[in-house]
Amino acid sequence: MYYKCMEGQQTIGIVGGGQLGRMLTLAALPLGFKVVVLNPSPGSPAAQVGAEEIIGDLYDSAALQKLAAAADYITIEIEHLKVSTLKAIAAQGKPVNPAPATIELIQDKFKQKEFLAQAGVAVAPFMEVTDEASAVAALKKFGGKMLLKTRHGAYDGRGNMVVSSVDDIKTAFEKFGTAALYAEKFIPFTKELAAMVARSVSGEIAIYPIVETIHKRNICLEVLAPAQADETALKSAKSLARKVAQLLDGAGMFGIEMFLTRNGKVLINEIAPRVHNSGHYTTEACRTSQFEQHIRAITGLPLGDSSLLIPAAAMVNILGERDGPTKVEGLHAALKLPHVSIHFYGKSPTKVDRKMGHITATGDTVKQARARALKARKLIQI
Amino acid sequence: MYYKCMEGQQTIGIVGGGQLGRMLTLAALPLGFKVVVLNPSPGSPAAQVGAEEIIGDLYDSAALQKLAAAADYITIEIEHLKVSTLKAIAAQGKPVNPAPATIELIQDKFKQKEFLAQAGVAVAPFMEVTDEASAVAALKKFGGKMLLKTRHGAYDGRGNMVVSSVDDIKTAFEKFGTAALYAEKFIPFTKELAAMVARSVSGEIAIYPIVETIHKRNICLEVLAPAQADETALKSAKSLARKVAQLLDGAGMFGIEMFLTRNGKVLINEIAPRVHNSGHYTTEACRTSQFEQHIRAITGLPLGDSSLLIPAAAMVNILGERDGPTKVEGLHAALKLPHVSIHFYGKSPTKVDRKMGHITATGDTVKQARARALKARKLIQI
């Protein structure tokens, strides 16, 4: 059931009703907004917390137009959608944020890299790959170790492969099939860093602390806030994140993922034009969560404070451990640990490596917060 | 729409779907619970954020039984309900918290006072009033100034009157009609204090900081955390709050309202066996909000940390300013202030003095937080 309970009440339309849509909904409702999400199947994580649901594919123009008709503001929780329709919706005068042009740029990782390189932003060396021969040439150019990445549709580790031989390249081409690819030099990094940056429709900018992200199998496992790195690196990461956010059109949160190389250089890895897994810790650790900040940013409200409230926080993802109906065990033991918060997304079934929830622990030091979060994670089965 | 998305997923049934039910729902869902509320009319504040709704009167036995059938745990957000049915539900083996006997005690303010006095808890002198003659006798006994209070059904200032003459008593009896009354000596206090105390089904106790509450027309207007009072008074308030919570049966949050008298003594004013307006600040200011703590307490989960994360917080209620359809103005200006959070409850219509939302501001000092919250409140019209 869906009620407009206030005169002049405004509705936020979100493309996608997954966990990001859910947490955006949880932030939007207390501010007095209504939320409607477009999702391929009913009972989405967002609908479970009070969003109205339009059922449809994110590449279905009619469904996107239906969302637009029901909402005063359009935003996204996932960038894999029909961008031409969002452009049409924006052209009709409906506020769409991030800008469709930004989503389009992000959809093609190769174009994203080109854009950043042309703007003078430090990125790892990369090149287009059109066939196995050009991949072999890239491997030679990049010193015998590189990443082959699909240009489109990759997320949570799907669409990335490290290759260091012609055999590896053959395997990658078999795996990726006809997908368009590009190659990126393998850069040994000491840490992966990230920052959430908010820009509002009025141009106001707020930057969250630089955090460290830890990936395995190309999936984000942990986020540590603040990142433990030398001041120069943190400063350069912060100014790089701000620069990148300023390059992109449209309002909202931007998740900026970076590499800190062995020689202390910061490179941009990739950009998410939306709230992001590396910003989940902000719910417990910052005065304004990334979710509330995004809602403020796209609706023209002033941005909130983005600093850390507490010395340290650690976020650990709860990834599915098996395939089957969702069943949670260990909640009691995990909540026995001090300063631990747990967020389930209401997804079923559980699948290996599916993002089912996350844990945020806080503490006096990153080490303490991380130990709490990891211990809590170990106690939960899903 | 209502989905059970996990095997063995448990449902919390809440009697009442107002703002307290709403904030309990917002806390329960991320922990993996489902929520169903009993509410007299559809589209309650709780249903708007994802609670399933059973429509029925809180004094309707069949409706309460329907709620019980749909839930694994029963709790309340308001104590004005048919307690005999809750007793029957508990007797059937369903966990009901707080205990129905505690709710019954709280429902009759006179019995509540008797219970506290008999347990040796300091309260203001009080006596039963059966007619105008006994009220006149009470007035004489209490030195010419006292409160006449209805024993049942009073909240947010309805059912309280200060009297200091026989004429006042006549007016009170006209106003209260046939309602059962009692009299309480008027105690000049310097401050009103409150504390939220959690007790879990396993007997674990967590006490939140002592706060100062500011009432006008007997409605809570502001809450300041922590209370600014001398250490002895704060200590005695804390131990009194703990004692009172231990006297009462059942688990959950208890809101303990107190007076700090001119001679530095702490008296218990009244008890709410549930989450409470004086604990709303915990959402922003504490590691575990009163709402999550209540969910933990009634479901047998371990209690979370209840200390202040930040130096100070101030909560200001957003009371309706007129009668009519709800329309909010001034959100933009209010959110421009730093460290201000705003929660609307999704209620319509607005009415004079109806609780429509609240503002929590944080700061380095109570003075700073309060100035921010009051300024934000002034900027909002509703």
Side-chain angles (χ1 to χ4, degrees):
Chain A
M1 287 293 244
Y2 184 65
Y3 300 89
K4 273 236 182 189
C5 54
M6 298 199 250
E7 274 190 17
Q9 190 173 23
Q10 293 187 304
T11 300
I12 294 167
I14 306 175
V15 182
Q19 69 268 20
L20 302 179
R22 179 183 175 97
M23 293 185 274
L24 286 168
T25 302
L26 288 169
L29 296 175
L31 288 175
F33 294 101
K34 287 286 165 188
V35 177
V36 52
V37 299
L38 173 63
N39 202 61
S41 54
S44 65
Q48 290 173 33
V49 300
E52 190 190 7
E53 220 168 29
I54 293 172
I55 308 302
D57 194 274
L58 313 191
Y59 287 92
D60 175 351
S61 277
L64 285 164
Q65 287 284 5
K66 202 173 160 194
L67 181 76
D72 300 289
Y73 304 95
I74 296 294
T75 190
I76 65 165
E77 64 131 36
I78 183 166
E79 53 275 17
H80 305 307
L81 52 82
K82 189 158 187 178
V83 81
S84 60
T85 309
L86 285 198
K87 282 185 176 174
I89 290 164
Q92 288 152 21
K94 185 82 64 178
V96 179
N97 281 295
T102 299
I103 301 171
E104 189 170 40
L105 182 69
I106 300 298
Q107 283 182 336
D108 184 339
K109 285 194 182 183
F110 175 69
K111 281 203 181 145
Q112 187 190 137
K113 282 270 148 82
E114 272 192 325
F115 173 84
L116 292 170
Q118 276 161 19
V121 172
V123 293
F126 65 99
M127 62 184 277
E128 203 173 358
V129 155
T130 49
D131 51 21
E132 285 188 38
S134 61
V136 172
L139 187 63
K140 196 174 168 191
K141 184 178 168 192
F142 293 148
K145 194 168 181 184
M146 68 178 189
L147 288 142
L148 270 176
K149 296 185 172 184
T150 56
R151 289 172 60 159
H152 307 278
Y155 67 99
D156 285 354
R158 277 163 269 189
N160 275 11
M161 207 177 139
V162 179
V163 298
S164 53
S165 70
V166 175
D167 276 359
D168 284 354
I169 288 174
K170 278 191 199 306
T171 311
F173 271 77
E174 273 159 32
K175 186 182 162 196
F176 294 137
T178 56
L181 303 177
Y182 77 104
E184 205 176 287
K185 185 175 179 175
F186 182 87
I187 303 283
F189 55 81
T190 54
K191 274 177 203 283
E192 288 181 89
L193 303 176
M196 298 307 305
V197 183
R199 191 178 57 240
S200 79
V201 289
S202 63
E204 197 186 347
I205 282 195
I207 305 191
Y208 285 83
I210 302 296
V211 297
E212 178 177 351
T213 60
I214 297 168
H215 291 74
K216 236 179 216 170
R217 304 183 297 283
N218 289 304
I219 302 170
C220 176
L221 289 191
E222 293 179 55
V223 174
L224 309 177
Q228 309 295 293
D230 73 73
E231 273 310 311
T232 321
L234 292 175
K235 240 181 165 169
S236 107
K238 203 150 191 168
S239 76
L240 205 53
R242 175 189 284 271
K243 182 177 177 179
V244 168
Q246 279 169 328
L247 285 172
L248 299 168
D249 281 338
M253 296 297 309
F254 294 92
I256 318 284
E257 296 187 272
M258 296 168 272
F259 294 127
L260 178 57
T261 68
R262 285 198 187 140
N263 55 12
K265 222 181 138 185
V266 179
L267 305 176
I268 294 293
N269 176 20
E270 59 182 67
I271 304 158
R274 51 168 168 80
V275 289
H276 190 256
N277 201 165
S278 63
H280 289 358
Y281 77 94
T282 59
T283 296
E284 284 81 11
C286 297
R287 189 63 185 80
T288 316
S289 76
Q290 67 165 343
F291 305 104
E292 178 175 338
Q293 196 76 292
H294 185 78
I295 299 299
R296 289 182 180 219
I298 65 165
T299 59
L301 289 169
L303 296 183
D305 184 89
S306 60
S307 57
L308 273 179
L309 273 184
I310 41 146
M315 191 288 312
V316 174
N317 274 334
I318 302 176
L319 302 178
E321 297 156 359
R322 56 181 174 80
D323 294 347
T326 303
K327 190 170 174 15
V328 174
E329 311 232 27
L331 183 63
H332 190 283
L335 285 179
K336 219 166 190 165
L337 299 170
H339 301 264
V340 161
S341 301
I342 301 185
H343 304 259
F344 291 110
Y345 303 150
K347 292 182 185 176
S348 193
T350 184
K351 287 180 206 167
V352 171
D353 285 350
R354 188 178 193 195
K355 288 178 177 171
M356 302 300 291
H358 74 268
I359 295 166
T360 302
T362 53
D364 296 329
T365 62
V366 167
K367 198 178 161 189
Q368 185 190 46
R370 189 184 183 194
R372 287 170 173 167
L374 288 173
K375 200 169 169 192
R377 178 62 195 88
K378 268 195 190 154
L379 291 165
I380 287 175
Q381 288 95 50
I382 191 159
Chain B
M1 288 291 248
Y2 184 63
Y3 300 90
K4 273 235 181 191
C5 54
M6 300 200 249
E7 275 190 16
Q9 188 172 24
Q10 294 186 305
T11 300
I12 295 167
I14 307 173
V15 182
Q19 69 267 22
L20 301 179
R22 178 183 175 97
M23 292 185 275
L24 286 169
T25 302
L26 288 170
L29 296 175
L31 287 175
F33 294 102
K34 285 285 164 189
V35 178
V36 53
V37 300
L38 173 63
N39 202 63
S41 54
S44 65
Q48 289 172 34
V49 300
E52 190 188 7
E53 219 167 29
I54 292 172
I55 307 303
D57 194 273
L58 313 191
Y59 287 91
D60 175 351
S61 279
L64 285 164
Q65 286 286 5
K66 202 173 161 194
L67 181 75
D72 300 288
Y73 305 96
I74 296 294
T75 190
I76 65 164
E77 64 129 38
I78 183 165
E79 52 275 16
H80 304 306
L81 51 84
K82 189 158 191 181
V83 81
S84 60
T85 309
L86 283 197
K87 282 185 177 175
I89 290 165
Q92 289 153 20
K94 185 81 65 180
V96 179
N97 280 294
T102 298
I103 301 171
E104 190 171 37
L105 182 70
I106 300 300
Q107 282 182 338
D108 184 338
K109 285 193 182 182
F110 175 68
K111 283 204 179 142
Q112 187 190 140
K113 282 269 149 80
E114 273 193 322
F115 173 83
L116 291 171
Q118 277 161 19
V121 172
V123 293
F126 65 99
M127 64 182 277
E128 203 172 357
V129 154
T130 48
D131 51 20
E132 287 188 34
S134 60
V136 172
L139 186 63
K140 197 175 170 193
K141 185 177 167 194
F142 293 148
K145 194 167 180 186
M146 67 178 189
L147 287 140
L148 270 176
K149 295 185 174 186
T150 57
R151 288 171 63 158
H152 307 278
Y155 67 99
D156 286 352
R158 279 163 267 192
N160 275 11
M161 206 176 141
V162 180
V163 299
S164 51
S165 70
V166 175
D167 276 358
D168 285 353
I169 288 173
K170 279 192 198 306
T171 310
F173 270 78
E174 275 159 31
K175 185 182 162 194
F176 295 136
T178 57
L181 303 178
Y182 76 104
E184 205 176 287
K185 184 174 178 176
F186 183 87
I187 303 284
F189 56 83
T190 54
K191 273 176 204 283
E192 288 182 89
L193 304 176
M196 298 306 306
V197 183
R199 190 175 59 237
S200 78
V201 289
S202 63
E204 196 186 349
I205 282 195
I207 306 191
Y208 285 83
I210 303 295
V211 297
E212 177 176 353
T213 59
I214 297 167
H215 291 75
K216 236 179 217 170
R217 303 181 299 282
N218 289 304
I219 303 171
C220 175
L221 288 191
E222 293 181 53
V223 175
L224 309 177
Q228 310 293 295
D230 75 72
E231 273 311 310
T232 322
L234 292 175
K235 242 181 164 168
S236 107
K238 203 151 193 167
S239 75
L240 204 55
R242 176 190 285 270
K243 183 178 176 178
V244 168
Q246 277 167 331
L247 285 172
L248 299 168
D249 281 339
M253 295 299 308
F254 295 91
I256 319 284
E257 296 186 272
M258 295 169 274
F259 293 126
L260 177 59
T261 68
R262 284 198 189 142
N263 53 13
K265 224 182 135 184
V266 180
L267 306 176
I268 295 291
N269 177 19
E270 61 181 64
I271 303 159
R274 51 169 168 77
V275 289
H276 191 255
N277 200 164
S278 63
H280 289 356
Y281 77 94
T282 60
T283 296
E284 283 82 11
C286 297
R287 189 62 185 81
T288 316
S289 76
Q290 68 166 342
F291 306 103
E292 178 175 338
Q293 196 76 292
H294 185 78
I295 299 299
R296 289 183 180 220
I298 64 163
T299 59
L301 290 170
L303 296 184
D305 184 90
S306 59
S307 58
L308 272 180
L309 275 183
I310 42 144
M315 193 286 313
V316 174
N317 274 333
I318 302 175
L319 302 177
E321 297 156 1
R322 55 181 175 82
D323 295 347
T326 302
K327 191 169 172 17
V328 175
E329 312 233 27
L331 183 62
H332 190 285
L335 286 179
K336 220 167 188 165
L337 298 169
H339 300 264
V340 162
S341 301
I342 302 183
H343 303 259
F344 290 109
Y345 303 151
K347 290 181 184 174
S348 192
T350 185
K351 289 179 205 165
V352 171
D353 283 349
R354 186 176 194 194
K355 289 178 178 171
M356 303 299 290
H358 73 269
I359 295 166
T360 302
T362 53
D364 296 329
T365 63
V366 166
K367 197 179 162 192
Q368 185 189 46
R370 188 184 186 197
R372 286 170 175 167
L374 289 174
K375 199 169 169 192
R377 178 62 194 91
K378 266 194 192 157
L379 291 165
I380 287 176
Q381 289 97 49
I382 193 162

